[in-house]
Amino acid sequence: MTVSDGWLVAALLPLAALVPVLWRIAHGDPRDRLVAQNLGSLLGALVMLLAARGFGRSSYLDLALVLAVLGPAGTLVYARFLGGMPSSTLLRRTAVVAVPATVLPLCVATGPGRETVKLLVIGALLMAGNLVTSAGAARQDAGTGTGTSPEAASRPGLEEGKGP
């Protein structure tokens, strides 16, 4: 078994974790699907990072970079339509544990240089994007687009904290 085979075997772990995530995307309620989509983009980027090293193709790093940017951005766009982002401790823990556990060994194996900087930027984008989207947001009222209570939205002229 060569060193590149070891990186490919390591890529099987996030790839195997994608199976239940894809199941949740196909069969969950919309808020669960949103979290699963975000987790799927995180795991897909980690697979791309490990596959880039295993196959010796730095172009796979560009795919991981695109996923690191567009995954959380797409999640925020869909969260806007759902009225808020659900909180997810699984996504938060996965981002905090899996990203450094993947990126740091890759940086050590790569050595100093431009590719290491790219790995660190991808890792920072993955962590930041997934930590922001996993924090959740207060659900806004779907009718008005404001953060007022449902009873205030249904009765015109009633503001938050004021009586009828």
Side-chain angles (χ1 to χ4, degrees), residues 5 15 17 27 47 52-53 58 60 62 65 79 89 116 121 129 159:
D5 291 339
L15 191 61
H27 298 289
V47 168
R53 185 72 185 164
S58 62
Y60 291 174
D62 297 334
L65 179 61
T89 56
T116 301
V121 167
E159 295 179 20

Side-chain angles (χ1 to χ4, degrees), residues 42-96:
L42 171 68
L43 293 173
L46 295 179
V47 168
M48 285 295 134
L49 288 174
L50 292 166
R53 185 72 185 164
F55 290 125
R57 296 184 172 255
S58 62
S59 60
Y60 291 174
L61 291 178
D62 297 334
L63 293 174
L65 179 61
V66 169
L67 276 173
V69 172
L70 294 181
T75 300
L76 292 174
V77 168
Y78 283 114
R80 172 83 171 120
F81 293 118
L82 287 177
M85 183 68 199
S87 178
S88 173
T89 56
L90 174 65
L91 183 60
R92 190 176 312 119
R93 288 180 183 158
T94 304
V96 168

Side-chain angles (χ1 to χ4, degrees), residues 10-147:
L12 289 176
L13 184 64
L15 191 61
L18 272 172
V19 173
V21 170
L22 292 174
W23 178 261
R24 179 55 71 183
I25 290 172
H27 298 289
D29 64 65
R31 297 179 79 71
D32 285 345
R33 289 178 180 190
L34 184 61
V35 171
Q37 178 269 331
N38 200 12
L39 185 58
S41 67
L42 171 68
L43 293 173
L46 295 179
V47 168
M48 285 295 134
L49 288 174
L50 292 166
R53 185 72 185 164
F55 290 125
R57 296 184 172 255
S58 62
S59 60
Y60 291 174
L61 291 178
D62 297 334
L63 293 174
L65 179 61
V66 169
L67 276 173
V69 172
L70 294 181
T75 300
L76 292 174
V77 168
Y78 283 114
R80 172 83 171 120
F81 293 118
L82 287 177
M85 183 68 199
S87 178
S88 173
T89 56
L90 174 65
L91 183 60
R92 190 176 312 119
R93 288 180 183 158
T94 304
V96 168
V97 173
V99 172
T102 303
V103 171
L104 295 178
L106 286 169
C107 288
V108 169
T110 302
R114 183 177 177 189
E115 194 170 325
T116 301
V117 172
K118 191 183 249 187
L119 284 169
L120 291 173
V121 167
I122 293 169
L125 285 171
L126 282 173
M127 281 193 65
N130 286 291
L131 288 176
V132 166
T133 56
S134 69
R139 187 174 176 127
Q140 294 181 340
D141 182 41
T144 61
T146 62

